[in-house]
Structures are given as structure tokens and as C-alpha cells.
Amino acid sequence: MPDFTFELEPFDNQAHHGYRGVAGPYGEAMVFYVKPLGPVRPNQMMRVELVGEHLPETRIEGIGARGQPSTHKARIEIAGTPGTLSYNSLGMTRAARALTIGYAGRQYAFTYLKRLAGDKELTRPGVRIVTKEGGLLEGVGSGRHFTVHGDADETDLAIAIALQSVDTTPLMPGVAVVSAFLRSSANSAGG
């Protein structure tokens, strides 16, 4: 399939926050998480759901952070089949902190492209899906712009889209530096 681009617009209502639109040749898609009714409790699991016209139903569950599911203790399920998610919280580079995803014999890496920006990429051999901030919808937030390179299929796109509603800030290298400093300070204070 030739390279293609598309953009999903943000939406926000009392119960959900997410993105929706036409995902290129895969038709209508909507990804969202259910907003918590109150403060997020410690270790509270939250879920992202993706539904689409020609995309497999995808769910990612993770411990809630800042009111949305995070990569912490996350798990993924695509079309009813579980996959694996993991990352190295001690990694000091983008590559070392990549979220690795295993599904149906495939291995993916999900990383930030820039230190403080929202530019991210999902890769596997022969496929690269880059996401950047899209247009701003006043009162709701920024959309997500996708550029798809290589022979991407519906599973690749489902994973890339679903990850847009997950808090992935633990994957940012700057978070590793702060964490390392805090661990070092705690160790030297504890002596």
C-alpha cells in the first residue's frame, strides 16, 4: 500500500475523551478512554478503546495517571487476542525507553521523536507510523496527524491509533533523567 496521511480530531464530553475521524483507507475510527467519576485511586486500572469501520477492536488497560490510562502495568488486546507491552523505566535514551509491543508474532517499538514534543512513532520491520499534533479544536485540544509509511495493515494502524489516548509520558527521556536524579537523591539521603 502506498504511503498515506490522515488526521483524527479530538472530542471531549462528560464521559469520554479521545479522537475520531477517517483513518485513511480503513474508514471511520474512534479511540477514547472513559473519564473517571472522581479522583483516580492508586493502582486504578483505566481502559482505552478503539472501534473502527475496518480496524480490529483494540483495548489497552493501564494504571490511571492524570485522569487517563498510562503505560504503567499496561496490557493490550486486539480483536480479542492479548499482546504484550513493556518498557525500560530506567532507560536514558528514547530507544532504551521504547514501549515494546508484541502481538501475533510481530514486534513493535513506540517512541517519542523529540524531547518535549508530542511527536511519536510506531515501527516494525517495513512499517513506520509517525504521529504529530494536528489542528487545534478550541476548548477540546489538538488532534493527531498520522503519516503512514510502508506496508502497514489494519493491526499496525489500530495499535498506533489506540496509543494516542494512553499517557505515554513515562517513555520520554526527560522523565528518565528526573527519575534518576530523584533515585540518586533518595539513596544519598538514606545513606
Side-chain angles (χ1 to χ4, degrees):
M1 177 179 290
D3 295 356
F4 62 96
T5 64
F6 64 93
E7 188 162 324
L8 299 180
E9 292 185 347
F11 74 91
D12 190 54
N13 57 41
Q14 287 184 327
H16 304 96
H17 179 80
Y19 304 93
R20 62 182 165 209
V22 177
Y26 296 98
E28 293 288 331
M30 180 171 61
V31 62
F32 62 90
Y33 64 88
V34 177
K35 293 179 180 178
L37 295 175
V40 177
R41 297 180 312 273
N43 295 320
Q44 178 180 345
M45 294 298 280
M46 296 182 69
R47 183 172 62 210
V48 166
E49 293 189 38
L50 166 71
V51 291
E53 192 174 350
H54 299 291
L55 296 170
E57 188 172 296
T58 303
R59 291 188 174 102
I60 299 176
E61 289 185 331
I63 300 291
R66 290 185 290 283
Q68 74 182 99
S70 75
T71 53
H72 184 61
K73 295 188 178 179
R75 48 187 184 249
I76 189 169
E77 183 179 284
I78 303 167
T81 303
T84 61
L85 294 171
S86 64
Y87 68 97
N88 177 4
S89 63
L90 302 177
M92 298 300 278
T93 65
R94 281 187 285 280
R97 291 184 78 76
L99 179 66
T100 57
I101 302 147
Y103 178 75
R106 295 179 177 181
Q107 286 294 111
Y108 296 88
F110 183 76
T111 58
Y112 276 82
L113 293 175
K114 297 180 180 176
R115 199 178 333 205
L116 298 174
D119 299 359
K120 306 167 193 171
E121 73 175 353
L122 177 73
T123 59
R124 72 170 172 88
V127 172
R128 180 174 183 243
I129 302 173
V130 177
T131 58
K132 299 180 179 205
E133 278 193 8
L136 182 64
L137 194 58
E138 192 170 327
V140 181
S142 295
R144 299 300 295 162
H145 179 83
F146 294 75
T147 303
V148 181
H149 304 280
D151 195 22
D153 64 16
E154 63 276 356
T155 301
D156 303 323
L157 223 53
I159 294 169
I161 293 171
L163 285 167
Q164 302 312 303
S165 286
V166 174
D167 177 10
T168 57
T169 54
L171 306 178
M172 296 177 80
V175 172
V177 172
V178 171
S179 297
F181 174 75
L182 292 174
R183 279 192 304 274
S184 172
S185 297
N187 288 340
S188 62

